[in-house]
Amino acid sequence: MSRPSVLLVEDTLSLQMVYRSILATAGHRVAVAGTAEEGLQQFRAHRPMVVLLDLILPDRDGLEVMRDIQAIQPETRVIAITANGSVSRAVEAMRAGAHDFLVKPFDEGRFLSAVQNALAEATPRDTGKTDGQAATRGRDPAEIAESSGFIGSSDAMKRIHMTIGSVARSMATVFITGESGTGKELCALAVHANSNRANGPFIALNCGAIPQDLLESEVFGHMKGSFTGAISDKQGAAQAADGGTLFLDEICEMAPALQTKLLRFLQTSTVQPVGATRPRKVNVRIVCATNRDPLDAVRRGHFREDLYYRLYVVPIHMPPLRERGQDIIEIAEAALARFAQEEGREFHGLDPATRALMLSLPWPGNVRQLLNVMRNVVVLNQGGWVTPDMLPPGLAEEGRPAEPPSPPMAAPDALGTDSLLGLPLAEAERRLIEATLAMHGGSIPKAARVLDVSPSTLYRKIEAWNAKAS
C-alpha cells in the first residue's frame, strides 16, 4: 500500500474524523494522530510531504512539534491549524517556517486548496536527488534580485531578496511596509513572479486612490442595477485575480465597513458582488502594503485588529533610500543609462562630486524621486559626465532640517484656521490642506505626515480641485 501523502495531527476526535473524510474523498492518502507523540511516530514511519498540525495539542506545544518535523525532513510542508482566537499563534508559526495556516472554522474549499497547494509545492522537481537530500525551499537571492527588477546590493536588499525567495511559493499573506516611493509594488510583483502563481493574473488596487463609496465595488464587483450608475455587471479585483495575486496597496486607507468584508473574504475565499445574492468562490493570494505603521493604525482604531493579524503574516519592510548607501549610486547610474538610451543621448556617468552630493541627500521621495531627478538630468542636458550643476535647482537644499512644527494650541493661528468657522466642511478641509502644504513648502509627503493621511489622498484631492477649476 502506498505511504500516506498527508499526516493529520488533531486532538479533537470529531474534527479528526471530518478532516480525514474530506481528504479521503478528495483522493488523498491520510495518516492521523491525536497527540504530539503519536504524530511524530507517524511522521517518522511514513515521512509524508504535508502535515496538517493543530497548534494546541494535549501533550506538547504544536510549534515545538513543527520544529522537530522540519529537523527530520526540511522539505515537509506544514499547514498550521489554530482556533479563531489564536490567530497570533498562526502568525508565529508562519514566521517559524509553516507553509500556510488555517483558522477554525474554515470551509472545505479553503481546506482542500491549502493541502493541494502544499502538495504541489512539496513535489520534488529534481528527480536526480537522492532521498537523503533535502530540497531547497527558497530560490537563490541573486536569482530573485535579477528577476525582481530591484537594483542595489546593500545588506538590506539582500535580506529582502532572501525573504521573497522563502515566502513566494507559499500561500502566506505578505504585508509590505515602507515610505512612499520605496518600491512596495515592485516587491509585490517580485513575490508574484517567483510564486507558483506567476502565470496567473497580478491585480493591483490602490485603496487610497479610490473614493470609499466606490471601493467595495472595485474590490468585490457589482451587479447591474445594484446602485445608481451600475449600468452593467462589473467584475471586482478579487475575482479578476482568481488563480493569481491581489495586491492591495495603502490597505490602511480602507474604510472600517469594507475591512469587515475583506476579513470575511480572507476567511471564506468567497466574494459577493454588490447586489448579488450568492457568493462566488475564488483562489487568490493576498499581498498588501502601506506607508503607515499598521500597528499604530490598529491602536488608533483606524484598522481592525483581527484583520491586522490575518494579513500581517510575513512582513517585508522596504528601507528608505537614504538608508541604502551605495544603492543610491547604482540606481542612479542604471536609470541614467536607461533614460539616455530612450532619449538618444550619451552620458558617461556621475562625476565624484555628484556621487558625494547624492549620498548626502535625504531623498524624502525615495527611489521615485531619484528616478525623476535622473530623468530631469537626461532631458535637460546633452550628455557627458553628470555634474552637480546639472541636478534640478533646489535639490541640495532638501537636506536642510525642517522647522519644528508649531505647538498644538498655536496651530489654528499659524495656519489661519480661525477663519474656517462658518465655512462648508469641504471648503474648510481644502483651506486646511492648502495651508499645511504652504507651511511645508508644497511637499505633499510632509503635509500628509502632519495631517495623518496618505500622500495619495492629498494627490487625489488636489487633482479633483484642479479638474473642477478647469
Side-chain angles (χ1 to χ4, degrees), residues 9 35-37 40 53-68 89 92-93:
V9 185
T35 64
E37 182 180 358
L40 285 172
L53 177 64
D54 195 323
L55 295 180
I56 301 176
L57 296 170
D59 56 335
R60 198 175 171 200
D61 183 75
L63 286 177
E64 294 179 3
V65 178
M66 185 179 76
R67 294 187 185 102
D68 287 347
R89 293 279 291 161
E92 189 179 354

Side-chain angles (χ1 to χ4, degrees), residues 5-11 15-16 18-24 28-35 39 43 48-57 62 65-66 69 76-82 98-104 106 110-116 118-119:
S5 56
V6 178
L7 169 62
L8 170 64
V9 185
E10 167 61 64
D11 63 316
L15 292 177
Q16 186 185 104
V18 170
Y19 298 159
R20 181 175 189 174
S21 174
I22 292 172
L23 290 167
H28 298 293
R29 298 183 300 278
V30 188
V32 295
T35 64
F43 183 78
M49 296 307 297
V50 173
V51 176
L52 288 155
L53 177 64
D54 195 323
L55 295 180
I56 301 176
L57 296 170
V65 178
M66 185 179 76
I69 288 172
T76 300
R77 300 305 188 247
V78 177
I79 300 173
I81 301 176
T82 187
H99 180 269
D100 201 351
F101 72 93
L102 296 167
V103 178
K104 302 174 185 175
F106 45 80
R110 172 74 177 100
F111 180 55
L112 290 176
S113 176
V115 172
Q116 192 58 47
L119 282 170

Side-chain angles (χ1 to χ4, degrees), residues 145-212:
E146 185 177 350
S147 65
S148 67
F150 286 129
I151 298 172
S153 53
S154 62
D155 290 342
M157 294 309 297
K158 287 178 181 177
R159 287 193 293 270
I160 288 172
H161 297 148
M162 189 173 297
T163 302
I164 292 173
S166 298
V167 75
R169 294 185 180 276
S170 79
M171 276 292 289
T173 301
V174 177
F175 202 121
I176 308 168
T177 57
E179 297 177 7
S180 294
T182 50
K184 296 188 290 295
E185 184 166 352
L186 199 60
C187 179
L189 276 165
V191 171
H192 173 73
N194 289 280
S195 72
N196 52 13
R197 296 169 169 263
N199 293 328
F202 176 87
I203 305 297
L205 198 66
N206 189 321
C207 300
I210 301 170
Q212 293 294 341

Side-chain angles (χ1 to χ4, degrees), residues 320-339:
L321 186 58
R322 59 185 173 274
E323 296 178 3
R324 292 177 56 182
Q326 288 295 322
D327 284 1
I328 296 172
I329 306 303
E330 292 181 37
I331 296 169
E333 294 197 322
L336 179 68
R338 176 161 62 91
F339 297 152

Side-chain angles (χ1 to χ4, degrees), residues 70 186 336 347 359 362 386 416 419 436:
Q70 291 171 329
L186 199 60
L336 179 68
F347 285 84
L359 289 172
V386 177
S419 63
T436 308

